[in-house]
Amino acid sequence: MKSDGLANFFLGLGIGVGLGMLFAPKSGEETRGILKSKADEGAEFLKKQAAERAEYFKKQASEFRESAGGAASDLMDKGREAISRQKDVLSDAIEAGKQAYREKVEPTANNRPVA
């Protein structure tokens, strides 16, 4: 189905070009010159647009890299802070456990008979 539509498009294009050449108000050489100059203008326009788009996408990619780098840095800093807090909490818990052990062991050591 798609190839039929494409074939019809090219058939219509060919007929249109043929009729345009047949009924052109200028000679064939002049018409070819005009078509060539218009094609050259179109090519220059497309090159200019492609260059502008390429520059735009480079700029967007650069901005994205910068923002992603900043976000990654922020996440790393937050991760380091969280790990530091967890270390502090764990150190406090270990110290509290040691203290509780000492309190439990020392009174029993004091209650032992001295030999």
Side-chain angles (χ1 to χ4, degrees), residues 72-92:
S73 178
D74 290 345
L75 286 174
M76 290 290 289
D77 291 342
K78 288 179 182 178
R80 285 186 185 110
E81 290 173 11
I83 289 172
S84 177
R85 284 192 305 269
Q86 289 300 321
K87 279 182 181 178
D88 292 344
V89 168
L90 185 59
S91 294
D92 291 345

Side-chain angles (χ1 to χ4, degrees), residues 36-50:
K36 184 179 180 327
S37 69
K38 293 295 182 185
D40 290 342
E41 288 176 20
E44 286 300 317
F45 175 77
L46 290 176
K47 286 178 186 176
K48 181 181 173 187
Q49 288 295 317

Side-chain angles (χ1 to χ4, degrees), residues 90-108:
L90 185 59
S91 294
D92 291 345
I94 289 172
E95 195 57 44
K98 286 179 181 178
Q99 183 65 30
Y101 174 77
R102 282 189 214 112
E103 290 174 2
K104 190 73 168 173
V105 171
E106 286 178 10
T108 56

Side-chain angles (χ1 to χ4, degrees), residues 25-41:
K26 300 184 183 208
S27 71
E29 191 172 321
E30 289 178 89
T31 303
R32 284 190 297 274
I34 292 170
L35 289 175
K36 184 179 180 327
S37 69
K38 293 295 182 185
D40 290 342
E41 288 176 20

